[in-house]
Amino acid sequence: MTTEMQQCIDMCHKCHDMCERMLSHCMEKRSDEAMQMSMVMISCADMCRMCADMMMRCSSMAKASADMVQMCVRMCGMCADMCDMTAEMCRRMESREMTELADMMNQCASMCRQMTPQAMQSA
């Protein structure tokens, strides 16, 4: 596994964990916006976990098929889109904690977009 791929997997795990921890922060607010944000954060956490799982499986296969590699790359792209969308929503909540989460999500999105077929196949 390349260093870049391992770093992306680690960042996806960190993003998942922070989303899960921040759920209580949203739920304490008891507003419609916070409840909607909670649902989006759950989806983002799930997407990050699934993306990391797929990358680990892809890297553990001696020679992952081209189709599997493409599927992992597509999953990374969807994860990046989800992280960016969730980060934008987090920033609208105007709290330090949510801004920190948004920064992490943007970093995760950037790393996920770097996962190309070449990066996966050299793993």
Side-chain angles (χ1 to χ4, degrees):
M1 178 182 309
T2 64
T3 302
E4 294 80 13
M5 194 172 188
Q6 184 61 56
Q7 288 172 342
C8 188
I9 290 167
D10 293 344
M11 181 56 72
C12 284
H13 283 140
K14 286 170 81 172
C15 226
H16 169 270
D17 293 347
M18 188 141 182
C19 280
E20 292 286 337
R21 283 194 306 272
M22 291 304 293
L23 277 172
S24 61
H25 178 75
C26 285
M27 291 186 180
E28 287 170 1
K29 296 199 181 280
R30 299 192 190 277
S31 68
D32 288 341
E33 180 187 28
M35 292 312 288
Q36 181 182 12
M37 185 70 228
S38 297
M39 296 307 293
V40 171
M41 284 175 56
I42 290 168
S43 296
C44 189
D46 288 347
M47 181 70 78
C48 288
R49 182 189 42 76
M50 190 176 350
C51 185
D53 290 350
M54 282 190 73
M55 283 189 285
M56 286 188 295
R57 283 185 209 112
C58 192
S59 72
S60 68
M61 301 166 91
K63 291 222 181 224
S65 71
D67 289 341
M68 183 63 176
V69 170
Q70 282 299 327
M71 191 64 66
C72 285
V73 170
R74 285 178 34 207
M75 175 59 74
C76 286
M78 289 189 301
C79 184
D81 291 344
M82 186 72 188
C83 284
D84 281 340
M85 181 185 82
T86 308
E88 185 178 316
M89 290 179 75
C90 286
R91 289 187 199 290
R92 281 188 245 143
M93 294 194 75
E94 298 180 356
S95 78
R96 182 185 54 79
E97 297 90 352
M98 296 305 274
T99 299
E100 288 174 9
L101 177 58
D103 290 344
M104 179 183 288
M105 288 177 178
N106 289 144
Q107 185 178 1
C108 185
S110 177
M111 293 176 99
C112 282
R113 286 195 175 91
Q114 293 175 22
M115 292 296 104
T116 62
Q118 295 77 19
M120 297 245 178
Q121 289 174 327
S122 65

